[in-house]
Amino acid sequence: MFLQAGGTFRRFSAGRYRRHGYQRAVLSGGGMAPRWEVLVLAAVLLVSCGAAPSDILYRVPEEQPPNTLIGSLAADQGLPDTGHLYKLEVGSPYLRVDGKTGDIYTTEVAIDRETLRDCRNLFDGDKCFLEFEVSITDMIKGIGTGPRLIEGRIEVMDINDSTPQFASPILTLSIPENTHIGALFSIPMASDKDSGANGVAEYSLSTGPDADQLFSLQVAVDTDEKLPQLVVMGNLDREVKDSYDLNIRVVDGGKPPRASSALLRVTVTDQNDNAPKFERNHYEAELPENSPLGHSVLQVRANDADTGTNGEIDYSLHQASDTVQRLLRIDRSTGIIYVKGLVDREEESFLKFFVVAKDRGPNSKTSKVLVTINVKDQNDNAPAIEIRGIGLVTHQDGVANISEDMPIGTAVALVQVSDRDEGENAVVTCVVAGDVPFQLRPASESANDRKRKYFLQTTTLLDYERVKDYRIEIVAVDSGNPALSSTNSLKVQVTDMNDNTPNFSPAMLEVDFAEGNQPGDKVLDVVASDADSGTNAELAYSIVELSATKLFEIDTNSGEVRVKNLLDREDTERYEFHVAAADKGVPSKTGTATVVINVLDRNDNDPKFMLSGYSFSVIENMPPLNPVGVVTVTDADKGENARVKLYVEPDNGKFVIQNGTGTILSSISFDREKESTYTFRLKAVDAGDPPRSSYVGVTINVLDENDNAPYVTKPSNSTYKYLPPVTTPDTSVEVVEAEDIDSGPNAELVYSITGGNPHGLFHISPSSGEITLAQEFTRKHNGLHRLVVRVSDKGKPPRHTTALVHIFVNDTIGNVTLIESLVGHSLYTPLDRDIAGDPDYALAQRSNILYGSLAGIAGVILVIVAVVVIRHRLQKDTKSGYQAGKKESKDLYAPKQGPKNGKGKKSKKGKAPKPAKPLEEDEEASLQKGLKFNLINDNVNDSPRIHLPLNYPPGSPDLGRHYRSNSPLPSIQLQPQSPSASKKHQAVQDLPATNTFVGTGDNNSTGSDQYSDYSYKANPPKYSNKQVGDYFVNTAGYNRNITWTNRVW
């Protein structure tokens, strides 16, 4: 490496080049011996004293990553690193240049030595170069001084990036038997795309136990090529073993080395003593380009001393590239090489390959020879003229633009003339045709006749007003015979200098514009003028303030100002902004003007409610003409346009509104169970001309009051649940289900057992109403249990209802009639008495035999008495007008008529009937009087229908008033003399499927009016416990006597 220091040159030795592109150098000079250690990344610059620019040489290894620094033109050439523009003209896409420093870097396209066009057919030791060109423009003096062109080359150094490979993974070699020990046989060589030290370095052979003593490897060197040869070390006998499989391995000399291997199959054949031998060691020939197909290039000859088939030779191409195989072929028998494809010297100027001669003996022998062919040039290419921009002058679509104020000698283009031919055919003369103020000046001092570069520069000052553009034609002629020529042209446009500013007249524009416009309406036109011409006089209008562009827009070309949005005087009455007119000169000049827009008023605002929708809540049962809510409405206009009136739509008379206050009044009383929500809308109308209006929706939500008691839907009071005594605790017995037509807490229900559970056998879930067994049954618990379940809501005050749940505990349920009679009599038993199993269990055990005998006797007597009484009553009924089987002409069970001047309320379709208010009566009497039962079995699990007797003990509830008879006898008409039929015959229609007792928070009051539109109210006489306890029932349908006592059942 040579560096200049103190006017002299000192040579120092460079350390060994490292693969990663680093080199350490030591510089010493004078009496001092300072030691500099310079670390250069990716490249080594080679510069010699007085070298021309074309001699600039950099060296870089191939396959470097992107952005690897190759060299710095500014630092290496002593050029300033400021004020200059460096531009890469040739070298793309492998290189890029920093515009300020001239540093040359690699790009994303890696430099691969093996694929570069000029490096594909190099011999070992030949260097691979990549050419580049960089233009330098002085930015301080301007482009008028003309750019400088620097040419250079980059030596692409090989790295070990290719692995040596054999031609085939399996190589075959035939060796005659009885071959003498020490005989050599050539092995096909491996090839490596790398060169030099990175090429093939050594071969090695590995054998199996059967061939270890028979073969070895010897490597011969021939013209820098390593030729692997197989050495026979022992006697071969084909009759003993006719083939051997060996492994041959090739390694290159790179660091780290690369290697590959192949299977070498040695076949032992009959003896073939002599290998073919070529007449020459190297064949050379010239091939004119464009030679016709089938043209004979040369003939290779080989001789074989053997006779017969052992002396017959076949020729073939060996280690031939794809290009050689595409362009040439060899005659197998004669060795004549023919043209196979179109040969173009400009594509391939040199062909290199081997020819192998192989005899036809059973143990064929081969030899090879190197063939090189130079492609001779023909003058078949006309000169090529390339015109491109240089420095800051760019070209687009064959047009270059230059300002009229550029000085003489300004370069407007770089013209490169080249000829792909060679010799005299590539010597080109280039001139500018016609009378134009431009000329060609050599751009570099390179003596390369095949590729010359010129600057196309001005010879006089240009005047835009005189000539606005030029068409420059360049002619190039080569020196061939006959000569070939070509032309290319460039259009140069002279651009005008922009020295005038656009001007508005007047400088302030004011206009009145009414609000309520349509987007896109025209406001005004602004016009400016420019004394320049061409693009310098072409104006583009714009609005200066960014905020104004949200409301207004201006046509860039015409200056017409339009409004983009609806203007509202109530928001802004006056707008002021600036408009600008900019010409299209370089640099551009701009003039401005002020625009004032006064907004005129219109009735363009609708009345506006404060809310988008109103929702009010009122309590049901609120009297009419009470305030429901207040709405507020405003109008942004003024005067009559802001005076607003309110209307209710639709006006059905239920609500009115006060215009002065916006208060909504109700004309009705609210009942949530009938209608829980009212919706309507309010209309606001101003007094403008024409008037404007707006609407708002109003929703009135009726809040619930606890005015409905719960009602039980399951189970029916007259049903029972059977449980065996062995039922385990926590077993689910029954689920009481109830509903409340109120809402919210008024409909949240709580379940409790208020009676019939003296032993604590049962437990009910307060929230779900599920009744479960709390403890195990004992013998005394056998029998009927009647649980009095209270269902209360959480209203304030709370309301409740009562239901009966019958549970029969026994081993069997064989006597269903007995269970039905027990349930039937339970319905007439006061609720404050517990019915919970058999209270006389012990006594019953001792008296079973006595009671059984008495029961049998009493049963016979009762049957006889019953027959007599029934016959007597039938005769009496016949005398009083009743005829059995005759259809009654009037329904004796018609609903009770309501008040004369009142109409029954019709419940809404699909809605449960609204319960009536509870009765305030004596505790015991009200409990009994309000009891209602549904004897219809609607559930598979319920007990069968119960047939009640027609006669009841004195003082018991008159259930006959609430039910039609379930007996098979005809309906009985109540006679006037009957105490219950005085004044008027009355009956109550069937009840719903559930039977409940209703209260309003008073534990002593019950009622059943809520389940019927018609209610029967009776005041039966009080009866004492004694009367109830002494009552005795004995009917022919029962097989047991049933008694009431002062205790429980």
Side-chain angles (χ1 to χ4, degrees):
M1 177 175 181
F2 296 92
L3 293 179
Q4 185 175 359
T8 62
F9 285 92
R10 296 179 183 270
R11 182 183 181 95
F12 66 91
S13 61
R16 182 180 179 183
Y17 175 77
R18 291 174 174 80
R19 180 173 180 268
H20 295 286
Y22 295 97
Q23 176 172 310
R24 186 178 301 275
V26 179
L27 178 66
S28 62
M32 301 176 61
R35 182 181 179 88
W36 293 356
E37 293 188 355
V38 182
L39 189 65
V40 182
L41 173 65
V44 177
L45 172 66
L46 303 180
V47 183
S48 61
C49 180
S54 61
D55 294 334
I56 295 177
L57 176 65
Y58 292 102
R59 182 177 294 124
V60 63
E62 64 174 331
E63 303 287 354
Q64 292 301 302
N67 300 318
T68 298
L69 176 64
I70 297 177
S72 176
L73 293 178
D76 301 337
Q77 296 297 306
L79 300 174
D81 57 359
T82 59
H84 286 70
L85 175 66
Y86 294 85
K87 181 183 177 184
L88 181 69
E89 304 292 345
V90 175
S92 171
Y94 303 105
L95 306 175
R96 70 173 182 87
V97 173
D98 186 283
K100 295 181 179 179
T101 64
D103 292 345
I104 303 176
Y105 295 93
T106 59
T107 65
E108 297 292 337
V109 181
I111 303 175
D112 187 358
R113 184 179 185 274
E114 286 74 35
T115 60
L116 290 177
R117 178 179 176 273
D118 295 334
C119 303
R120 283 180 293 188
N121 291 315
L122 296 178
F123 287 98
D124 289 341
D126 291 347
K127 296 181 179 180
C128 173
F129 294 101
L130 175 64
E131 296 182 350
F132 69 88
E133 296 177 8
V134 176
S135 65
I136 306 175
T137 303
D138 191 335
M139 301 300 295
I140 298 176
K141 296 180 180 179
I143 63 175
T145 59
R148 176 184 175 186
L149 189 67
I150 296 179
E151 298 176 316
R153 294 186 300 167
I154 297 174
E155 180 185 348
V156 181
M157 296 182 295
D158 184 49
I159 65 173
N160 192 25
D161 59 343
S162 297
T163 302
Q165 298 286 343
F166 289 98
S168 172
I170 300 178
L171 305 176
T172 59
L173 187 63
S174 298
I175 299 178
E177 62 178 342
N178 300 324
T179 299
H180 63 273
I181 296 174
L184 302 177
F185 293 89
S186 297
I187 300 174
M189 293 188 303
S191 61
D192 195 326
K193 292 182 179 180
D194 296 323
S195 63
N198 294 326
V200 175
E202 62 182 28
Y203 294 89
S204 61
L205 182 71
S206 59
T207 62
D210 57 343
D212 187 37
Q213 302 298 324
L214 296 178
F215 303 101
S216 66
L217 182 68
Q218 174 180 303
V219 180
V221 177
D222 181 18
T223 62
D224 296 333
E225 285 187 332
K226 292 180 172 58
L227 306 177
Q229 295 176 329
L230 186 67
V231 182
V232 178
M233 303 296 295
N235 294 321
L236 302 179
D237 188 346
R238 194 176 68 85
E239 285 71 24
V240 176
K241 188 174 180 66
D242 60 356
S243 67
Y244 298 89
D245 286 342
L246 312 179
N247 185 276
I248 185 169
R249 186 171 184 266
V250 60
V251 182
D252 63 19
K255 294 184 179 180
R258 292 174 176 264
S260 67
S261 60
L263 177 67
L264 177 60
R265 179 161 292 165
V266 178
T267 303
V268 180
T269 63
D270 288 333
Q271 187 170 3
N272 182 14
D273 295 336
N274 298 287
K277 184 178 181 181
F278 285 96
E279 296 177 354
R280 301 182 192 176
N281 294 328
H282 179 202
Y283 287 88
E284 292 182 286
E286 286 188 351
L287 174 64
E289 65 174 333
N290 303 320
S291 295
L293 301 183
H295 172 73
S296 174
V297 181
L298 70 114
Q299 183 180 18
V300 296
R301 294 179 182 273
N303 300 312
D304 194 315
D306 294 322
T307 60
T309 57
N310 294 335
E312 296 177 1
I313 300 174
D314 289 333
Y315 299 93
S316 63
L317 300 179
H318 178 64
Q319 291 185 338
S321 65
D322 295 339
T323 302
V324 172
Q325 295 182 31
R326 176 174 55 85
L327 298 178
L328 303 176
R329 68 176 179 86
I330 188 169
D331 186 278
R332 183 182 182 88
S333 301
T334 64
I336 300 176
I337 299 174
Y338 295 97
V339 175
K340 178 183 177 182
L342 179 62
V343 180
D344 187 353
R345 190 204 62 82
E346 287 71 36
E347 294 294 334
E348 297 292 340
S349 61
F350 181 78
L351 301 176
K352 169 189 172 183
F353 55 93
F354 287 91
V355 174
V356 172
K358 181 179 180 182
D359 62 28
R360 300 178 183 177
N363 303 308
S364 60
K365 293 182 177 293
T366 61
S367 62
K368 67 176 182 178
V369 68
L370 176 65
V371 178
T372 57
I373 298 176
N374 292 307
V375 181
K376 186 177 180 181
D377 182 56
Q378 299 288 326
N379 191 24
D380 57 346
N381 292 282
I385 302 174
E386 181 184 357
I387 302 175
R388 60 177 184 263
I390 182 68
L392 297 178
V393 180
T394 59
H395 294 185
Q396 185 174 4
D397 299 329
V399 178
N401 294 299
I402 184 171
S403 176
E404 62 177 336
D405 63 341
M406 288 292 101
I408 298 174
T410 298
V412 297
L414 177 67
V415 179
Q416 176 177 295
V417 182
S418 61
D419 196 313
R420 299 182 64 187
D421 296 321
E422 64 179 0
E424 289 296 320
N425 297 332
V427 178
V428 179
T429 302
C430 186
V431 296
V432 175
D435 185 13
V436 291
F438 295 92
Q439 67 179 5
L440 294 175
R441 178 176 65 84
S444 66
E445 301 175 5
S446 173
N448 187 356
D449 291 335
R450 294 178 54 196
K451 185 185 295 184
R452 295 190 177 185
K453 298 180 179 65
Y454 303 90
F455 288 127
L456 178 64
Q457 61 186 23
T458 59
T459 57
T460 61
L461 291 176
L462 304 180
D463 187 356
Y464 170 80
E465 285 70 26
R466 188 171 62 87
V467 181
K468 293 180 173 59
D469 58 71
Y470 297 90
R471 172 65 65 177
I472 303 172
E473 185 174 351
I474 300 173
V475 179
V477 182
D478 64 21
S479 301
N481 188 16
L484 299 177
S485 64
S486 61
T487 61
N488 199 354
S489 63
L490 173 69
K491 182 179 180 181
V492 177
Q493 290 183 343
V494 182
T495 58
D496 182 37
M497 287 297 295
N498 187 26
D499 53 357
N500 292 283
T501 300
N503 179 52
F504 288 93
S505 181
M508 182 173 182
L509 305 170
E510 187 170 2
V511 65
D512 293 335
F513 189 75
E515 67 172 341
N517 59 282
Q518 294 295 324
D521 285 353
K522 178 180 176 181
V523 180
L524 77 160
D525 289 311
V526 295
V527 179
S529 59
D530 194 314
D532 291 323
S533 60
T535 57
N536 294 331
E538 295 179 7
L539 302 181
Y541 297 93
S542 63
I543 297 176
V544 177
E545 290 84 355
L546 181 63
S547 58
T549 59
K550 298 179 181 179
L551 290 175
F552 302 97
E553 61 182 357
I554 188 170
D555 187 279
T556 303
N557 299 317
S558 67
E560 182 182 72
V561 178
R562 293 182 178 272
V563 61
K564 296 171 63 177
N565 300 319
L566 184 68
L567 299 184
D568 190 350
R569 187 198 62 82
E570 287 71 28
D571 290 338
T572 306
E573 294 188 8
R574 186 175 186 271
Y575 296 93
E576 180 175 336
F577 54 90
H578 294 85
V579 295
D583 60 30
K584 297 181 181 180
V586 179
S588 176
K589 293 183 177 293
T590 303
T592 60
T594 302
V595 175
V596 176
I597 300 175
N598 299 312
V599 183
L600 303 180
D601 184 47
R602 283 182 180 176
N603 184 25
D604 57 347
N605 289 284
D606 294 331
K608 182 178 181 181
F609 289 93
M610 294 299 291
L611 300 176
S612 60
Y614 290 88
S615 178
F616 303 106
S617 298
V618 298
I619 300 176
E620 65 176 330
N621 303 320
M622 185 182 74
L625 298 180
N626 272 290
V628 173
V630 178
V631 299
T632 303
V633 62
T634 59
D635 195 313
D637 293 322
K638 297 180 180 179
E640 289 297 309
N641 295 335
R643 187 164 57 86
V644 179
K645 286 187 178 182
L646 298 173
Y647 303 91
V648 177
E649 291 186 356
D651 188 6
N652 54 14
K654 293 182 179 181
F655 299 94
V656 296
I657 188 166
Q658 294 178 344
N659 268 300
T661 63
T663 302
I664 301 173
L665 304 176
S666 67
S667 301
I668 60 174
S669 180
F670 300 102
D671 185 350
R672 193 196 66 82
E673 284 69 38
K674 288 185 176 180
E675 192 166 359
S676 60
T677 303
Y678 297 86
T679 57
F680 56 89
R681 66 176 184 173
L682 296 178
K683 180 180 181 181
V685 183
D686 63 22
D689 185 20
R692 304 180 71 91
S693 62
S694 63
Y695 297 86
V696 71
V698 178
T699 301
I700 308 296
N701 298 307
V702 181
L703 301 180
D704 183 49
E705 280 191 345
N706 194 23
D707 54 351
N708 295 283
Y711 60 92
V712 178
T713 60
K714 177 187 176 184
S716 173
N717 287 337
S718 59
T719 60
Y720 65 89
K721 191 78 173 184
Y722 164 72
L723 288 178
V726 295
T727 303
T728 59
D730 297 329
T731 300
S732 177
V733 178
E734 183 62 276
V735 178
V736 179
E737 298 179 2
E739 296 180 2
D740 194 317
I741 62 175
D742 291 323
S743 63
N746 297 333
E748 295 180 10
L749 304 180
V750 178
Y751 300 84
S752 61
I753 298 176
T754 60
N757 192 25
H759 306 296
L761 293 174
F762 303 97
H763 172 265
I764 189 168
S765 172
S767 58
S768 67
E770 181 182 16
I771 300 174
T772 57
L773 184 63
Q775 55 182 284
E776 294 181 353
F777 291 121
T778 62
R779 291 292 298 171
K780 69 178 181 179
H781 298 145
N782 286 5
L784 184 68
H785 295 258
R786 181 188 68 179
L787 300 181
V788 181
V789 178
R790 176 172 179 171
V791 185
S792 302
D793 60 27
K794 295 182 180 181
K796 294 183 179 180
R799 291 181 176 271
H800 73 273
T801 187
T802 304
L804 300 182
V805 178
H806 293 91
I807 303 168
F808 183 72
V809 181
N810 197 23
D811 291 328
T812 63
I813 54 172
N815 196 346
V816 176
T817 305
L818 172 61
I819 302 173
E820 294 177 353
S821 63
L822 292 175
V823 174
H825 286 286
S826 148
L827 302 179
Y828 312 119
T829 303
L831 301 181
D832 57 352
R833 295 188 180 184
D834 290 331
I835 301 177
D838 187 358
D840 297 327
Y841 168 73
L843 180 60
Q845 293 295 323
R846 295 191 298 268
S847 305
N848 280 341
I849 299 175
L850 177 60
Y851 287 153
S853 301
L854 293 176
I857 297 171
V860 174
I861 296 173
L862 285 175
V863 171
I864 298 172
V865 172
V867 172
V868 174
V869 172
I870 290 173
R871 291 188 63 182
H872 176 72
R873 290 297 299 270
L874 290 175
Q875 292 175 1
K876 186 177 179 180
D877 289 341
T878 302
K879 292 178 181 181
S880 62
Y882 169 78
Q883 297 179 6
K886 183 178 180 180
K887 184 177 181 182
E888 297 294 334
S889 61
K890 183 183 294 184
D891 188 358
L892 300 179
Y893 297 90
K896 178 182 176 180
Q897 299 296 323
K900 292 182 179 181
N901 51 0
K903 296 182 179 180
K905 296 181 180 180
K906 296 181 180 179
S907 62
K908 290 182 91 173
K909 188 174 182 181
K911 188 174 182 182
K914 182 177 179 181
K917 303 297 181 181
L919 301 175
E920 301 295 337
E921 299 185 32
D922 180 76
E923 175 182 350
E924 183 178 332
S926 63
L927 288 173
Q928 291 299 113
K929 180 180 64 179
L931 189 61
K932 300 197 305 181
F933 308 94
N934 182 7
L935 304 180
I936 304 302
N937 181 15
D938 294 330
N939 194 313
V940 176
N941 295 327
D942 291 343
S943 61
R945 189 181 185 107
I946 298 175
H947 301 282
L948 298 179
L950 299 178
N951 297 323
Y952 304 98
S956 64
D958 190 0
L959 297 180
R961 300 177 184 273
H962 295 267
Y963 297 91
R964 292 192 180 100
S965 173
N966 287 308
S967 67
L969 298 178
S971 301
I972 300 174
Q973 181 174 353
L974 301 179
Q975 300 300 323
Q977 62 271 22
S978 173
S980 60
S982 61
K983 296 182 181 180
K984 192 172 185 180
H985 302 305
Q986 296 179 340
V988 178
Q989 65 183 9
D990 283 345
L991 297 179
T994 60
N995 305 283
T996 59
F997 306 90
V998 182
T1000 60
D1002 183 2
N1003 296 334
N1004 298 324
S1005 61
T1006 60
S1008 59
D1009 296 339
Q1010 70 273 27
Y1011 292 102
S1012 175
D1013 290 337
Y1014 303 93
S1015 299
Y1016 177 81
K1017 296 182 180 180
N1019 294 307
K1022 296 283 185 176
Y1023 53 88
S1024 64
N1025 292 341
K1026 184 175 184 303
Q1027 290 172 323
V1028 175
D1030 293 341
Y1031 178 68
F1032 178 83
V1033 176
N1034 189 1
T1035 62
Y1038 301 152
N1039 57 10
R1040 278 192 63 183
N1041 294 330
I1042 303 170
T1043 61
W1044 273 327
T1045 67
N1046 289 328
R1047 292 171 291 177
V1048 296
W1049 287 41

